[in-house]
Amino acid sequence: MVKIWGGQLHMSPVEKPATVLDVGTGSGLWALAGQKNPESRVLGVDISPSNPAFHVPGCAFKTMDVTEPWTLDTQFDFIHARGLPDFAPATRQAVFDAMWDSLEPGGWLEITNWSLKLRSPDHSTEGTRLEQWFFLLEKGKQAPAQVEAAAC
């Protein structure tokens, strides 16, 4: 993403946030690289422990399931989330609400995710097994009975 965005870590116009939250930090590299302002405090959270090879002052990591109620005691000037799983609609709403509620007034929230549904400019994927596959993947986010009905 940094290469796609011309060397930038994010697209939001925030310049020197005091508090930053990296949701779904994974390896923690974005949180470590995002700590460009020596006065900022950056917190990276992920469901799995993040153990980066090096540490930067002002950057910390916490193991946390973002789909559960948040217990963070900080409001953030900038919240960054990239590559989160595609949660079920109610869970997605709860996670977005938690991010929004953790944002300082006037702060920035940036969410970047991928779309896995392949499309063709000439519509050659329409009516194919590939289109059916993505349809079933999309339906898989629903209850299993709904998936079985959709597959019939």
Side-chain angles (χ1 to χ4, degrees):
M1 289 303 296
V2 173
K3 285 184 180 183
I4 291 170
W5 290 344
Q8 297 184 98
L9 292 171
H10 57 82
M11 298 304 293
S12 300
V14 63
E15 291 185 24
K16 292 189 175 186
T19 52
V20 178
L21 177 64
D22 183 25
V23 178
T25 197
S27 68
L29 286 178
W30 187 94
L32 291 166
Q35 218 298 7
K36 290 186 173 188
N37 178 12
E39 288 92 38
S40 354
R41 291 181 330 215
V42 178
L43 175 62
V45 297
D46 202 285
I47 196 164
S48 299
S50 297
N51 296 311
F54 62 95
H55 295 280
V56 175
C59 188
F61 297 94
K62 179 177 180 168
T63 302
M64 177 177 130
D65 183 347
V66 298
T67 66
E68 298 294 326
W70 289 24
T71 58
L72 301 175
D73 58 356
T74 303
Q75 296 293 106
F76 297 90
D77 298 314
F78 180 48
I79 298 177
H80 171 267
R82 182 180 299 154
L84 294 178
D86 194 7
F87 303 115
T91 303
R92 182 182 318 124
Q93 186 64 50
V95 171
F96 287 0
D97 287 347
M99 286 191 276
W100 187 258
D101 292 343
S102 297
L103 199 59
E104 280 284 355
W108 285 89
L109 170 60
E110 179 170 306
I111 302 169
T112 307
N113 269 19
W114 305 99
S115 172
L116 294 179
K117 186 173 182 179
L118 298 178
R119 296 182 179 101
S120 173
D122 66 0
H123 307 284
S124 60
T125 59
E126 292 176 7
T128 65
R129 295 268 186 198
L130 182 63
E131 183 181 57
Q132 183 181 17
W133 171 256
F134 286 111
F135 173 78
L136 293 173
L137 283 175
E138 180 67 26
K139 292 298 177 188
K141 297 177 212 169
Q142 300 174 10
Q146 293 171 314
V147 174
E148 288 173 22
C152 295

